[in-house]
Amino acid sequence: MPAKSLSRLGTSSMDDWDEIDSHWWLDDSKGDGALPDSLYEQTLVQDDGYKVTLLTYDPEE
């Protein structure tokens, strides 16, 4: 889990999609600049301390 992930930091609300810079989740090792500037992250908290983190992006940005 990336250091700046709101899921990791515990600051994400289950009802919200939070914007985060894409470089925290995606690797641009090819250097072609094809990555989006940002992603949207949502955390779903489950029983026994488990979490599911969802990621999406806006292809128009």
Side-chain angles (χ1 to χ4, degrees):
M1 180 101 18
K4 295 287 183 173
S5 167
L6 298 174
S7 178
R8 180 179 185 170
L9 298 173
T11 59
S12 182
S13 169
M14 185 172 75
D15 297 329
D16 297 330
W17 284 94
D18 298 301
E19 189 170 8
I20 186 170
D21 290 339
S22 66
H23 71 86
W24 290 108
W25 281 100
L26 305 176
D27 178 25
D28 189 19
S29 59
K30 292 183 181 180
D32 59 7
L35 297 180
D37 291 332
S38 62
L39 298 173
Y40 296 93
E41 175 182 323
Q42 183 180 45
T43 302
L44 306 176
V45 179
Q46 299 185 334
D47 293 335
D48 298 323
Y50 290 98
K51 297 178 184 178
V52 175
T53 300
L54 307 172
L55 299 174
T56 190
Y57 75 103
D58 184 353
E60 300 299 319
E61 289 185 9

